[in-house]
Amino acid sequence: MKKLISIVVPVYNEQENIQAVYTRISAAMSGSTYEILFVNDGSTDMTGGIIEDIVAQDKKVKYIEFSRNFSKEMAVTAGIQVSRGDAIVTLDADLQHPPELLPEFIACWEQGAEMVIGVRDIDVHESFVKRVGSRIFYKIINVIGDIEFVPRSTDFRLIDRRVADEFNKFTERNRITRGILDWVGFKKKHVIFRVAERSRGTSSYSNRKLFKLALSAVISHSTFPLRIIGYLGAFITFFSAVLGLFIIVEDILLGDPFGLNISGTAMIAVLILFLIGVVIMWLGLIAFYMLNIQREVMNRPMYVIHHTRNVQKF
Ligand code: UDP
Ligand code: MG
């Protein structure tokens, strides 16, 4: 039996691109057994209507519409959860991920790769801020993170059914799809491609939004100040410990050779400073763990579906 390929496309206000992305995917996939799953992430333009028209004519096209904008990460998550394919490809709707590469991705998969990752070629047109920002992001996340992120890897990916099944077991809310997919492992293959200019419309990710996304991947927005507090506590602890050691050695052990005449009050002040430092440092640490727990305990649904078309699983 021929293998089924699911192509998941998250869409948010992409009215000018839908028809083109549909046509190009269909052309690239002709001859294969496939389904295209559009996940409409609460678009406010004509996107939904255009897809519904396509659905009416093409049984291979499936459709999910969120009740509001939940973010691309949630749209991709929903798409992977309802896909039935033996392999699932995620692809942006703005044609920055050329559908013509689909056969190459599928060939890699047929040769045994369980995950095929599109890696961006060096792009000379990329803005300075984006280039430096992305380099710093990968530096930091590879130092403090627990998995290796391949620089310039994108969301243009093919995953095997087995990877998708593992992905679907994840319940964490604050998610970066790429991060989870890198975490689950499996045999990977990279396909280098040239990112096309965004076909129409504007990117929903401004530098500011990208920075926010990066920050949430690294430390998450709200824990940053708490970490600063933790570091401040660590600094106070270290500073007063050095001061305390100096007092012990200079005054108590050596009998004040510098003639500093350190008062008892000063000694107590240093001791108190030290203890306060320890407390602040640990408060920062505890707050950080608590935030993680709170986020998981809240257990909100990851998305709410407005309606679906041709989808059996809901
Ligand atoms: N997208 C989405 N929800 C959002 C923002 C974007 O589903 O809140 C989709 C968008 O329609 C596109 C893909 O995610 O298919 C990538 O978005 P975009 O091109 O704006 O991001 P960039 O290419 O700048 O990273
Ligand atoms: Mg884009």
Side-chain angles (χ1 to χ4, degrees), residues 17-287:
N17 297 323
I18 299 294
Q19 192 61 47
V21 80
Y22 164 67
T23 311
R24 283 175 57 181
I25 292 174
S26 305
M29 294 301 292
S30 66
S32 328
T33 315
Y34 67 97
E35 59 178 13
I36 305 175
L37 181 62
F38 285 106
V39 185
N40 182 355
D41 184 16
S43 296
T44 50
D45 63 358
M46 300 296 292
T47 298
I50 297 168
I51 301 173
E52 302 249 13
D53 286 347
I54 297 173
V55 168
Q57 289 158 22
D58 189 343
K59 274 233 147 51
K60 291 193 285 296
V61 179
K62 328 229 148 162
Y63 180 55
I64 293 176
E65 184 175 312
F66 282 177
S67 57
R68 65 167 169 86
N69 181 242
F70 276 92
S71 89
K72 174 185 175 182
E73 303 303 325
M74 295 306 150
V76 171
T77 298
I80 294 175
Q81 283 178 351
V82 306
S83 290
R84 297 174 302 124
D86 299 296
I88 300 169
V89 183
T90 54
L91 176 136
D92 281 359
D94 58 2
L95 297 164
Q96 288 190 296
H97 301 160
E100 288 68 33
L101 285 175
L102 284 168
E104 191 179 337
F105 275 57
I106 293 163
C108 289
W109 172 63
E110 281 168 343
Q111 283 156 26
E114 287 159 319
M115 195 185 308
V116 186
I117 305 173
V119 176
R120 274 183 301 138
D121 203 357
I122 303 284
D123 182 0
V124 281
H125 301 296
E126 211 170 41
S127 80
F128 179 76
V129 176
K130 240 182 173 166
R131 204 167 54 227
V132 173
S134 118
R135 194 172 298 165
I136 293 173
F137 169 74
Y138 282 109
K139 271 263 151 63
I140 293 177
I141 199 124
N142 277 329
V143 167
I144 70 163
D146 48 2
I147 45 168
E148 206 206 326
F149 284 80
V150 178
R152 321 189 76 78
S153 64
T154 65
D155 284 332
F156 188 13
R157 289 185 183 214
L158 176 149
I159 56 175
D160 185 78
R161 163 60 32 206
R162 294 185 39 219
V163 178
D165 287 344
E166 294 308 318
F167 178 84
N168 292 340
K169 289 180 190 162
F170 279 73
T171 56
E172 66 198 61
R173 336 259 120 206
N174 202 348
R175 56 171 57 208
I176 306 282
T177 310
R178 252 181 289 173
I180 296 179
L181 289 180
D182 285 335
W183 191 91
V184 295
F186 291 97
K187 270 184 257 130
K188 298 186 175 110
K189 188 139 199 259
H190 297 108
V191 171
I192 295 177
F193 74 101
R194 176 141 237 122
V195 178
E197 286 285 311
R198 184 173 232 290
S199 163
R200 301 269 178 76
T202 50
S203 165
S204 331
Y205 287 98
S206 55
N207 281 337
R208 201 173 55 85
K209 233 176 153 182
L210 268 179
F211 179 71
K212 260 173 122 173
L213 193 72
L215 204 59
S216 105
V218 179
I219 33 178
S220 146
H221 216 47
S222 48
T223 63
F224 186 63
L226 290 168
R227 282 203 170 199
I228 292 282
I229 285 292
Y231 290 140
L232 179 70
F235 174 74
I236 293 173
T237 309
F238 177 75
F239 176 71
S240 52
V242 169
L243 216 57
L245 274 176
F246 174 77
I247 291 172
I248 290 170
V249 173
E250 201 272 346
D251 196 86
I252 301 171
L253 295 183
L254 301 179
D256 199 12
F258 298 145
L260 295 177
N261 280 325
I262 299 163
S263 69
T265 319
M267 290 186 195
I268 291 177
V270 170
L271 181 68
I272 291 176
L273 194 64
F274 176 74
L275 293 176
I276 288 177
V278 171
V279 171
I280 294 179
M281 186 169 68
W282 248 260
L283 269 182
L285 204 64
I286 291 169

